[in-house]
Amino acid sequence: MKLERLSWALGWASVGIGLAELTFPERLSRVLGAPRRSGRMLMRSLGLREVASGLGLLLQPHRREWLWTRLVGDALDLTLLAVSFRQPRANKFWQGAITAGALGWTLVDVYAAVKRNAPLLRSGAVTPSLGMDAGSSGPAESWRGSGLAEDVGVNDRRGEESEPEEVRQRRMDEAARQLGLPELDEHGAPR
């Protein structure tokens, strides 16, 4: 599975989990045996955190910080679930089911965070994709030679003598980064 698709799926999962925590805070806190008032407030804050990290993954799927944010949130969730097992009013069956689900999502988050070895994005805006382009099967390098490179500023000096190959290649690489294309090795294959 491509990492962008995985980030997209984790983003939607975070939004869904967060909305459930925001919509049913009293029921969830009752299942976990938490006191009513503090349990509701805790569930709502956890829901806001989940929605925020989910939106971050949907709007910036290439940024690994959002994956690590989810992973830190999983650690917090598992800690709170471990504490909730001491509560005498907790429903042990549902508590175990919720904990098993949280462990499963944590394993997926660990995989995604460790697998994402791309360098952190430096500067420049990344166009939000919301995962809608994750299944596109068009060639990633089809923009080369199409005039699109000139549109993003690779060839700013029209009409002048050609520039050295090193400068032209550096401009092409910068344009590829701006467009979010994969880096290529000397043979033109993705790295």
Side-chain angles (χ1 to χ4, degrees):
M1 176 182 277
K2 288 175 58 175
L3 283 177
E4 186 173 330
R5 285 186 182 182
L6 182 58
S7 295
W8 177 66
L10 289 173
W12 282 114
S14 273
V15 169
I17 292 168
L19 289 177
E21 289 172 336
L22 288 170
T23 306
F24 307 109
E26 190 170 323
R27 289 183 186 169
L28 287 171
S29 61
R30 190 177 332 129
V31 164
L32 298 175
R36 283 189 177 189
R37 183 174 172 88
S38 61
R40 280 194 317 251
M41 289 177 16
L42 179 63
M43 280 300 150
R44 287 186 179 129
S45 64
L46 293 175
L48 288 174
R49 176 191 47 86
E50 284 285 350
V51 169
S53 65
L55 289 176
L57 280 168
L58 291 173
L59 295 174
Q60 297 176 332
H62 300 294
R63 304 276 315 237
R64 65 181 175 187
E65 291 93 346
W66 292 113
L67 292 171
W68 286 101
T69 301
R70 243 187 87 77
L71 194 57
V72 169
D74 290 341
L76 176 65
D77 292 342
L78 290 173
T79 302
L80 291 172
L81 285 167
V83 169
S84 75
F85 272 101
R86 295 187 202 162
Q87 299 297 323
R89 298 175 297 197
N91 183 325
K92 300 300 182 193
F93 172 78
W94 284 109
Q95 203 172 26
I98 291 170
T99 303
L103 280 172
W105 281 115
T106 301
L107 292 176
V108 173
D109 289 339
V110 166
Y111 171 79
V114 170
K115 194 73 171 167
R116 170 73 66 191
N117 60 0
L120 295 174
L121 294 176
R122 294 183 183 106
S123 62
V126 176
T127 306
S129 73
L130 297 178
M132 304 307 173
D133 60 343
S136 66
S137 61
E141 297 299 312
S142 64
W143 67 277
R144 293 187 192 259
S146 67
L148 185 56
E150 288 79 12
D151 292 341
V152 294
V154 172
N155 192 5
D156 292 339
R157 304 177 204 163
R158 293 188 182 122
E160 292 183 21
E161 293 296 320
S162 64
E163 54 193 8
E165 179 63 25
E166 182 179 301
V167 173
R168 188 186 74 74
Q169 187 61 41
R170 189 175 64 238
R171 289 176 178 263
M172 291 294 283
D173 290 341
E174 180 60 32
R177 274 192 294 279
Q178 287 177 359
L179 293 169
L181 298 174
E183 292 184 38
L184 301 177
D185 62 11
E186 62 274 358
H187 304 292
R191 290 183 191 173

